[in-house]
Amino acid sequence: ENRGYTEYNLGCPILEACGHLGKYFYTKNVDYKTLQHIDVAGLINDADVLINLSHVKGHGSCGYGGACKNIAMGCVTDRTRYEIHSLEGGITWQPDLCTHCEQCIAACNHNANRFDEQGVYQVNYHNCTACQHCVKVCPAGALVLTGQHYLDFQTGMAVCTKAVLDTFDPADIYHINFLIAITAVCDCWGMTTPSLVPDIGIMASPDIVAVEKASLDAVKIENLIRNGIPTGHEMTGQGHLFEQLHGKNPFVQVNELERLDLGRQEYELEKVL
Ligand code: SF4
Ligand code: SF4
């Protein structure tokens, strides 16, 4: 609500996809490393039609956030979000480096971390989504992600996306990607930065693979607005603009979606407005 997602702003009802208590979901079995089930949000599972509105932007863990990430993180329970993020690795607290500034506590949107009475950092893994906000704000480097298996995170998102999309008739799915205010980092941080490239427009397709590929192709390094690069980020000089920012190839998730037979990367752009 404090990020502007209100019924007043959106002009439509907002429903809690897993129910008010977060306990309404359907578990689908999958088999990808430690990711063995996907909890599809109950109201998503029950819906007749999926219109997937996504904001295209960069992302620290997978390079790119668009239609796939919107489904994989947005249509499931906290448990599944945690298990997908956990494919990247675990979080370790290093007490000798910690200054107890508590920035990590303030950065957590899930009430998942705290210091106990002995001053030891504790994570409530029931609530934790492994989003790594705590890791990234820590000025002392006291929280460390061990593993950094980013390819597994991207693949896990594609596996999850398939589990969600399989609950719909393919004829009842439509993806709309907004390539507007394209920022370096994900909206889940609750803040924004200047745009990385000029606004491009809106892309739409029933094919998630095609719309993701077309969106990524449209975000071109030659259009980079350097003011949009967050402080502390160094461009690597190799690959897609998002890869240069975050060091992760954003096409991995697109390739994986195609391998899972969710669509094709070939596309033709048709201008409608
Ligand atoms: S942000 Fe880092 S240094 Fe500050 S309390 Fe958390 S772990 Fe310790
Ligand atoms: S990883 Fe995310 S959800 Fe988990 S404790 Fe850190 S900030 Fe909170």
Side-chain angles (χ1 to χ4, degrees), residues 103-144:
Q103 290 185 48
C104 52
I105 310 298
C108 180
N109 295 326
H110 300 274
N111 291 326
N113 54 0
R114 66 183 177 88
F115 284 96
D116 66 17
E117 288 170 0
Q118 283 73 44
V120 176
Y121 187 73
Q122 302 285 356
V123 177
N124 176 351
Y125 285 103
H126 183 268
N127 292 355
C128 179
T129 61
C131 65
Q132 300 171 49
H133 286 189
C134 52
V135 173
K136 287 172 182 164
V137 299
C138 177
L143 295 172
V144 178

Side-chain angles (χ1 to χ4, degrees), residues 92-100 115 119-121 138 140-144:
T92 306
W93 177 63
Q94 300 180 92
D96 47 327
L97 296 179
C98 179
T99 60
H100 287 86
F115 284 96
V120 176
Y121 187 73
C138 177
L143 295 172
V144 178

